[in-house]
């Protein structure tokens, strides 16, 4: 494919957007046929004399918008856009099922190992309803109006005490900011930091939900490879980025827990380079082996860490409540900007949460869930060990709500996912989480266990193994 | 003040950001003293040979971040930043009270005419609680997980039917997108349109909440003056902007209702210029005189309108639910981007709303509130007429939850606000809502009536009039 965009460094739009627009036009208007292979990132970068990051970001945007697809060990290909009929009635389904339908064939999924599913059979309906109802009464008419733009003070106070106890986070309620989801909270961070710097380093593979936010705010993503114990700090230093997003309690997706030595090194990098660390502790409450390691934020003496957390994994994704702890350097800017932005999280849920934490229900719930998830975690590891044996290697265990299987197979991760799906088992590829996929190496599959019962876990692994057996490598 | 920034057109950062950074440094580092007057926009634009918009945006950012203040008919002045002590306990107060405290003196406010306050004495607690509780039960465990990224389909369906009936909006649930607040919904619009164009026209004066969103996404705001019946369409055409944000049901803040002839002209502008209209119908349910005028979206035959609405004025700001109807040209882009963004509105509130609308409670509530607000509106107009007489002119009546007083006085709006406050009455200046304030003309004061009882309305006007009487002009 001959690629000759007219790139202009002095244009208003960044280079990667110009390149993206060029390809989009080629695909939409000039009718580049489906399955046309795009040049490799390295090749295009050399030919056009632009940085690989620029090409990568243009491809990422095309990927995100569905113009191209990435085929492992093969490259990027134009995909045929389906006719979208205006006003057609699509059945409402969460993302997981939607993917099934787009494939065309509807397979009945019996076991869904989705990473973001959590256990609902032990949800404390009665105490949650009680806390919620206390907010909807004539005695609390004030709750009907707009609340504190930063988030309800009472909740921030209870939360700051809990975070200190449970995660070693050192903050007052003044530093806490509430938002309706982690992406909202990350957007605020982008607005607080965007003017000063445009490069952000991310673990690769990393969490696409946050990567999308950075990209939409025109940050340049520096993908930093992982070592066995987490992000490669020398690579981070060399990248020149002054901001880094990490998931040290349970790397997303690979699952390793960042040990204390590396945490100290990372904090040192921040202090020596004027760096800012965004620590996303999304499922930090769930650790099954070893002592919990204190948050980076608590270990830091220099105010270089933004601590981000959420209730979506430990309590309820449906209420949409996440939070962050701002260090002084960002808190000042935030306070000045505060009046410009309405609070996005429901005031009712915030107050219910406040009561829930204050009454002790929250910590009882966490302890209960930790025990339940530990059982499921053990069941999953035992099932994998006894059923799949040495055909797979497990990583990312001992914390969080998912593990990663490295499968001894010549199939790609996407192929293994499809094979599993045809057998009624939904598992997940790590492919969308990479920016710079190392195409060598065995396929990596994510298995979440939060949303399955103990029986479903072992039955699911049984069925998965049966589906994959013909494809295991036997040398 | 000598201003000599080193502006570089080829820099990565837009000119206005460079200029903003220059001033910020002067203020923070070089210690420009408080009350130093900055050059006027016109003067600086001439001296530096840059556009007035560039200077205006730099000043706007400095204003927004609290580095400078705007003094009516005088210009921009550096302000002294208060020492912010880390971790100090600030009392939690909503924005209105916070402003009082910053002034230093705490006055007890007896009558608050805040525009965004609504009536809570007639809130249907029992039916709302019933709809909410139905969602928190073991029968609805599925509600505990993540929902549809676009917003709950059932709510979108009920809402699309209601909007058709009540506002003449023509859409299916496929086009509806839910978000946790109007700013969130506007952010999505920015992301859908941002790549293609950077200029957005706004009514001047206009709604700062939305202006802040546009500016943070680096849109260039073209302020378009108002005529008696709404936005000046010739000025809009001349501006070169391809996107405009309007509030035709009740212009924010001035209150005029856009008549049908102008609506047709605006739609014609959009069709002839490839323009996009964002119609914010924030309190469109409340009209007290004349027939309701159909939404711009319903009158448009060409898919050039995005219709935006919210439950914050008509039901409950605390639940944080707003929505928009995307035309086909944006819906396609949205559908491709959809998987990247989590839904921000609470699933519980969405489902409760769905039940609330489905059961007919919602429309009963709207009818009840319309009657109540009509009474308050009448009481306010009568009080003003009999008490303030010809010392004021009223505009923006007959719709919505606030009116505008033009006061015959040589005082500025900010001064009148302060005088009122000292008498225990909180009223609001339109000053923050202007980009290009016409410094001539009598002061304009906003009075919201949603949150006050009938007695409070007349007592408040009585007290307000007493405080202002010495300052009325008597020629």
């Amino acid at each position: 494919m001959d690629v000759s965009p007219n790139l202009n460094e002095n244009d208003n739009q960044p280079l990667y957007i110009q390149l993206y627009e060029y390809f989009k036009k080629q695909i939409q208007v000039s009718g580049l046929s489906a399955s046309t292979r795009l040049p490799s990132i390295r090749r295009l970068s050399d030919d056009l004399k632009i940085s690989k990051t620029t090409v990568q970001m243009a491809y990422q945007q095309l990927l995100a918008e569905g113009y191209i697809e990435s085929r492992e060990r093969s490259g990027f290909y134009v995909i045929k856009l389906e006719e979208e009929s205006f006003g057609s009635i699509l059945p409402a389904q969460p993302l997981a099922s939607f993917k099934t339908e787009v494939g065309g064939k509807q397979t009945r999924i019996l076991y869904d190992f989705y990473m973001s599913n959590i256990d609902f059979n032990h949800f404390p309906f009665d105490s949650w309803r009680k806390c919620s109802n206390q907010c909807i009464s004539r005695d609390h008419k004030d709750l009907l109006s707009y609340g504190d733009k930063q988030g309800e003070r009472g909740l921030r106070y209870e939360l700051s005490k809990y975070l200190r106890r449970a995660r070693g986070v050192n903050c007052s309620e003044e530093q806490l900011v509430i938002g309706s989801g982690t992406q909202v909270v990350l957007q605020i961070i982008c607005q607080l930091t965007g003017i000063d710097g445009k490069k952000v380093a991310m673990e690769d593979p990393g969490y696409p939900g946050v990567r999308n936010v950075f990209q939409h705010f025109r940050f340049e993503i520096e993908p930093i490879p992982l070592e066995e114990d987490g992000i490669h700090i020398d690579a981070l230093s060399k990248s020149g980025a002054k901001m880094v997003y990490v998931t040290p309690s349970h790397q997303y997706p690979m699952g390793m827990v960042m040990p204390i030595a590396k945490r100290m090194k990372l904090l040192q990098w921040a202090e020596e380079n004027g760096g800012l660390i965004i620590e996303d502790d999304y499922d930090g409450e769930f650790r099954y082996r070893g002592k919990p390691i204190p948050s980076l934020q608590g270990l830091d003496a220099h105010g270089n860490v933004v601590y981000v957390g959420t209730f979506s994994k430990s309590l309820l994704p449906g209420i949409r409540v996440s939070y962050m702890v701002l260090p002084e350097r960002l808190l000042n800017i935030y306070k000045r900007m505060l009046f410009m932005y309405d609070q996005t999280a429901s005031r009712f849920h915030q107050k219910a949460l406040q009561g829930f934490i204050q009454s002790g229900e929250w910590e009882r719930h966490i302890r209960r869930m930790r025990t339940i998830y530990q059982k499921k975690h053990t069941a999953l590891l035992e099932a994998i060990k006894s059923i799949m044996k040495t055909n797979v290697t497990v990583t990312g265990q001992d914390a969080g709500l998912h593990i990663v299987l490295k499968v001894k197979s010549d199939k790609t991760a996407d192929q293994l996912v499809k094979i599993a799906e045809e057998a009624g088992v939904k598992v997940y590829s790590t492919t969308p989480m990479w920016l710079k996929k190392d195409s060598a190496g065995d396929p990596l599959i994510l298995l979440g266990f939060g949303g399955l019962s103990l029986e479903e876990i072992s039955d699911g692994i049984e069925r998965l193994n049966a589906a994959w057996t013909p494809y295991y490598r036997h040398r």
Side-chain angles (χ1 to χ4, degrees), chain A:
Chain A
M1 178 192 164
D2 176 38
V3 178
S4 39
N6 196 359
L7 300 179
N8 178 5
E9 290 245 358
N10 294 327
D11 198 271
N12 239 356
Q13 291 189 340
L15 279 182
Y16 87 93
I17 292 286
Q18 295 178 45
L19 187 59
Y20 147 87
E21 291 279 358
Y22 167 80
F23 276 113
K24 190 169 91 167
K25 204 167 171 182
Q26 294 293 309
I27 295 169
Q28 281 181 324
V29 177
S30 311
L32 257 189
S33 47
S35 296
T36 304
R37 188 177 172 283
L38 266 59
S40 75
I41 292 177
R42 177 186 295 277
R43 177 64 189 266
L44 195 58
S45 146
D46 287 344
D47 287 352
L48 300 178
K49 307 208 181 337
I50 56 182
S51 77
K52 281 191 286 180
T53 307
T54 298
V55 181
Q56 169 198 307
M57 289 173 74
Y59 280 14
Q60 188 70 17
Q61 189 72 25
L62 293 164
L63 213 70
E65 291 188 7
Y67 288 104
I68 65 177
E69 63 177 353
S70 162
R71 297 183 197 167
E72 264 191 83
R73 294 184 212 149
S74 193
F76 298 96
Y77 292 79
V78 175
I79 49 182
K80 184 174 164 58
L81 289 170
E82 287 164 23
E83 280 306 322
E84 287 166 63
S85 68
F86 184 63
S88 66
I89 309 291
L90 292 169
Q93 281 162 5
L95 181 64
S97 316
F98 177 74
K99 279 188 176 155
T100 308
E101 211 188 310
V102 161
K105 199 170 58 147
Q106 277 238 35
T107 320
R108 209 170 128 251
I109 297 302
L110 300 162
Y111 306 98
D112 189 348
F113 285 87
Y114 189 44
M115 304 74 74
S116 301
N117 280 348
I118 67 178
D119 181 295
F120 293 129
N121 291 315
H122 300 86
F123 184 75
F125 286 100
D126 298 324
S127 40
W128 180 254
R129 199 185 303 110
K130 189 167 153 220
C131 288
S132 293
N133 280 341
Q134 279 171 355
C135 304
I136 316 173
S137 84
R138 285 169 183 76
D139 299 329
H140 293 279
K141 264 198 295 227
D142 56 296
L143 279 188
L144 300 182
S145 64
Y146 289 98
D148 189 332
K149 290 191 177 210
Q150 191 168 336
E152 294 301 301
R153 184 180 203 80
L155 171 62
R156 291 189 279 123
Y157 175 68
E158 291 297 329
L159 193 48
S160 68
K161 288 197 301 178
Y162 166 73
L163 289 175
R164 187 182 300 271
R165 276 197 305 274
R167 304 294 299 119
V169 171
N170 181 21
C171 73
S172 76
E173 73 271 21
E174 275 317 298
Q175 297 167 259
L176 264 161
V177 177
I178 311 288
S180 62
T182 296
Q183 289 185 322
V184 170
V185 155
L186 258 296
Q187 280 173 23
I188 299 174
I189 296 176
C190 287
Q191 285 162 345
L192 295 176
T193 54
I195 292 177
D196 290 327
K198 286 283 179 189
K199 254 192 191 182
V200 63
M202 284 191 71
E203 300 157 323
D204 198 42
Y207 178 43
V210 162
R211 193 171 66 221
N212 292 328
V213 174
F214 284 136
Q215 286 178 328
H216 265 114
F217 276 86
R218 305 278 189 260
F219 279 75
E220 198 182 308
I221 314 274
E222 281 285 344
I224 313 291
L226 296 171
E227 301 180 289
E228 258 191 46
D229 60 354
I231 193 171
H232 200 298
I233 297 192
D234 289 339
L236 170 62
S237 301
K238 291 197 178 77
S239 75
K242 292 277 173 274
M243 199 160 107
V244 64
Y245 169 84
V246 288
T247 45
S249 290
H250 191 235
Q251 203 278 332
Y252 190 96
M254 299 307 294
M256 66 277 288
V257 179
M258 191 186 289
I260 193 115
K262 180 157 279 195
R263 292 183 190 224
M264 301 312 293
K265 265 194 88 181
L266 185 57
L267 291 171
Q268 191 180 2
W269 163 83
E271 185 59 8
E272 287 173 1
N273 292 279
L276 182 75
I277 302 167
I278 302 168
E279 169 183 19
D280 189 348
D281 200 26
Y282 68 100
D283 62 3
E285 287 96 349
F286 305 121
R287 184 157 164 80
Y288 311 122
R289 198 173 64 152
K291 277 181 159 34
I293 303 181
S295 61
L296 273 164
Q297 197 272 5
L299 293 167
D300 180 39
H302 302 286
N304 292 326
V305 180
V306 182
Y307 177 91
V308 174
T310 179
F311 287 96
S312 295
K313 288 282 177 297
S314 48
L315 184 70
L316 275 180
I319 53 172
R320 313 312 292 123
V321 180
S322 297
Y323 49 88
M324 64 175 169
V325 176
L326 290 176
E328 186 174 3
R329 68 195 258 197
L330 294 182
L331 188 62
N332 293 338
I333 304 175
Y334 175 77
K335 288 283 187 191
R336 278 194 289 263
M337 265 182 53
L338 179 57
F339 73 94
M340 292 196 282
Y341 283 94
D342 301 326
Q343 174 53 236
T344 47
S346 157
R347 203 169 179 202
F348 294 95
H349 294 328
Q350 289 184 67
K351 291 307 259 182
L353 264 172
Q354 179 189 334
F356 199 65
I357 299 176
Q358 209 164 6
S359 63
E361 277 299 321
W362 164 242
E363 266 163 284
R364 271 190 287 278
H365 174 72
I366 286 290
R367 280 197 296 272
R368 192 168 44 227
M369 294 319 297
R370 195 179 289 130
T371 307
I372 285 162
Y373 287 135
Q374 175 137 31
K375 289 199 175 102
K376 297 190 186 199
H377 171 263
T378 302
L380 179 63
L381 293 186
E382 281 178 356
I384 291 171
K385 186 173 180 187
S386 63
I387 297 168
M388 293 180 153
K389 303 189 175 55
T390 56
N391 291 303
V392 304
T393 321
V394 176
T395 55
Q397 67 271 49
D398 299 334
L401 302 178
H402 73 266
I403 54 117
V404 177
L405 284 187
K406 189 173 198 173
V407 188
K408 288 202 187 106
S409 170
D410 293 327
K411 290 287 177 195
T412 67
D414 292 335
Q415 287 169 332
L416 288 179
V417 164
K418 207 162 187 156
I419 291 160
E421 200 179 298
E422 280 156 10
V425 181
K426 223 159 156 39
V427 297
Y428 298 81
S429 164
T430 56
T431 307
M433 296 156 200
W434 293 82
L435 271 181
K436 265 179 168 177
K437 180 83 179 76
D438 179 2
S439 35
D442 282 335
L444 298 164
I445 301 290
L446 280 164
L447 294 185
F449 54 86
L452 297 169
S453 69
L454 298 173
E455 278 98 320
E456 285 170 334
I457 285 171
S458 39
D459 291 351
I461 294 298
E462 197 70 76
R463 196 176 261 262
L464 185 62
N465 187 62
W468 282 353
T469 294
Y471 308 102
Y472 288 144
R473 210 164 51 232
H474 295 294
R475 339 171 200 117

